[in-house]
Amino acid sequence: MSAPAFFEAPARAEAAEAVADAYRDAFGETPEGVWSAPGRVNLIGEHVDYTGGLCLPLALPHRTFVALSPRHDDVVRVRSAQEAGADWEGSLAEVGAGSPEGWAAYVAGVPWAMGHEHGFDAVVDGHVPLGSGLSSSAALECAVAIALADLAGLPTDDAGRAELAGACVQAENVVAGANTGGMDQAASLRCREGGAILLDTRDDSVTHLPLDLAGAGLALLVVDTRAAHSHSGGEYGARRADVERAARALGVPDLRAVDPADLDEALARLAGQPGAEVLTRRVRHAVTEIDRVARTAQLLRAGRVREVGALMDASHESLRHDYEVSARELDLVVDTARAAGALGARMTGGGFGGSAIALVERDATGEVAAAVRDAFARERLRAPQFLAALPSRGAGRDA
Ligand code: ADP
Ligand code: MG
């Protein structure tokens, strides 16, 4: 059984040189600099960011690069290697809610949200799979944001990065019109090599945690199912409405406020509400998931990475049965990876498609990937794509 090919991240120097070359082809001069920002994968803590919860993402080695030079006027000119023939040029004055349309919103929305008056010329080259739940959108925004911050002499310490993440969220929510929380941008800007971040979505505070996968002889296998998340928009809104209604019924600001020790009592209080059976399951997911993130953080602090596998398994079951946001392809990855010896596996991201992750013995990575590939082939599903997630550095300058 030969292992499938992995989608590898290119070496930093080569990727930076390639995007600088593309800039020279586009604009006939050398760019002022090259910056990049990573995609991310969430280890645990799903669908709890809109109820005051915790999540635990890490930056992928896969990054989006941008070669950029500032301009003296308010014009933005940008092209992307991933959007051939869809170059965009416009003035910052025309950027706002829903404008521009298409991919350029993720670029032009950033100086708009940062309140910048001057434009720039830029070429983008991304190595994060687009639309796979690995946050190519945040990687793009954050690469532009770190470039603009660097050129403007803005602080790029953790507090400065938290500010930039807020601007990128604004760009995504308002200009691109995508309803997302702040995990992706926080991960892309604030992660550090060799670690994950514990993000508290109540106040956006971040705690850096060690995640030495290689030292533990482990690997984090990412499987991009390439299944479109067709129902994700409406279902996302419906889940949000469920947890907000449950919190109101329980008289708490958010479900983070429910102590896991008091869960049974809280669930009993939901009896008699319209749709109590569904609400009960939604609340059980949120409260137990937030608790699992806290327990994962404790394990990482103690260097007990292997034991995270069981919490990943429990997270997936909760998302599958109680929160009902999984998909056939995600369940197939999880079930197959576990049967092939993974220490734990779960869907990651919003669900209904996108990606799943498996914690595996490093030497067994190829074997687990092959088992997943074969299971997809047997079920006549589109071939998935495999990536290895070693915790990588956040956004920064490359050249
Ligand atoms: P995800 O963030 O999970 O990859 P999204 O739907 O949030 O999926 O974002 C994907 C969109 O972001 C793409 O459809 C495109 O508009 C934009 N995008 C991301 N990376 C690039 C890139 N390298 N070049 C151009 N557009 C990009
Ligand atoms: Mg996205």
Side-chain angles (χ1 to χ4, degrees):
M1 181 157 66
S2 71
F6 273 55
F7 184 75
E8 302 278 358
R12 179 181 186 174
E14 275 99 272
E17 220 169 278
V19 76
D21 281 346
Y23 184 100
R24 274 185 286 271
D25 287 347
F27 300 114
E29 56 183 34
T30 299
E32 182 75 28
V34 175
W35 293 261
S36 65
R40 65 92 190 95
V41 70
N42 190 23
L43 186 61
I44 196 158
E46 220 64 77
H47 276 281
V48 290
D49 58 333
Y50 45 83
T51 192
L54 305 166
C55 55
L56 223 163
L58 54 132
L60 291 171
H62 304 75
R63 307 173 73 85
T64 296
F65 288 78
V66 60
L68 185 147
S69 292
R71 294 176 60 98
H72 297 296
D73 56 17
D74 78 342
V75 170
V76 172
R77 297 192 296 174
V78 64
R79 72 165 60 169
S80 165
Q82 284 67 50
E83 295 282 357
D87 301 359
W88 187 78
E89 177 172 344
S91 123
L92 280 176
E94 59 191 271
V95 178
S99 166
E101 287 181 3
W103 73 274
Y106 298 94
V107 176
V110 175
W112 171 84
M114 291 171 74
H116 281 209
E117 286 165 7
H118 295 295
F120 51 83
D121 291 334
V123 171
V124 172
D125 193 359
H127 304 279
V128 183
L130 267 62
S132 298
L134 301 175
S135 219
S136 69
S137 60
L140 177 51
E141 292 148 13
C142 297
V144 172
I146 201 76
L148 298 183
D150 206 7
L151 291 171
L154 298 173
T156 55
D157 57 355
D158 192 61
R161 286 166 183 263
E163 286 266 321
L164 291 177
C168 291
V169 172
Q170 281 292 104
E172 179 140 358
N173 288 171
V174 180
V175 181
N179 190 359
T180 59
M183 167 171 61
D184 304 354
Q185 292 80 4
S188 186
L189 281 157
R190 300 172 75 183
C191 279
R192 295 177 187 160
E193 190 166 355
I197 57 170
L198 175 66
L199 175 67
D200 184 332
T201 64
R202 269 188 171 171
D203 58 7
D204 288 337
S205 62
V206 153
T207 309
H208 293 273
L209 296 171
L211 177 58
D212 186 7
L213 291 167
L218 300 174
L220 191 64
L221 172 68
V222 181
V223 183
D224 167 10
T225 65
R226 296 162 115 180
H229 3 160
S230 48
H231 302 295
S232 56
E235 296 286 345
Y236 177 86
R239 293 301 176 281
R240 244 185 125 125
D242 285 348
V243 299
E244 281 162 12
R245 195 155 69 80
R248 273 197 305 278
L250 293 169
V252 289
D254 53 40
L255 296 179
R256 169 85 169 278
V258 178
D259 189 319
D262 302 335
L263 176 60
D264 287 341
E265 192 194 313
L267 296 182
R269 280 200 281 142
L270 289 173
Q273 290 284 324
E277 195 273 327
V278 169
L279 279 197
T280 296
R281 287 189 283 118
R282 304 294 189 250
V283 171
R284 189 165 56 210
H285 167 70
V287 175
T288 61
E289 182 78 354
I290 295 169
D291 185 48
R292 281 186 288 272
V293 181
R295 283 156 58 197
T296 301
Q298 282 171 0
L299 289 173
L300 294 188
R301 279 193 189 97
R304 291 157 58 185
V305 186
R306 280 172 185 270
E307 291 165 64
V308 173
L311 293 167
M312 292 168 66
D313 283 344
S315 170
H316 187 76
E317 293 318 301
S318 181
L319 289 157
R320 182 179 189 167
H321 299 295
D322 278 350
Y323 220 64
E324 298 178 283
V325 291
S326 191
R328 177 187 168 207
E329 291 86 351
L330 294 168
D331 294 339
L332 185 61
V333 175
V334 166
D335 294 343
T336 309
R338 285 180 192 158
L343 295 153
R346 60 180 290 272
M347 55 161 276
T348 185
F352 301 104
S355 297
I357 52 174
L359 186 65
V360 296
E361 302 288 353
R362 198 174 39 182
D363 295 342
T365 312
E367 212 174 294
V368 175
V372 172
R373 173 200 56 199
D374 294 348
F376 272 57
R378 270 197 306 276
E379 304 245 334
R380 299 184 186 286
L381 292 166
R382 193 169 166 206
Q385 176 162 266
F386 300 95
L387 296 77
L390 270 185
S392 302
R393 68 200 161 91
R397 186 165 190 157
D398 298 290

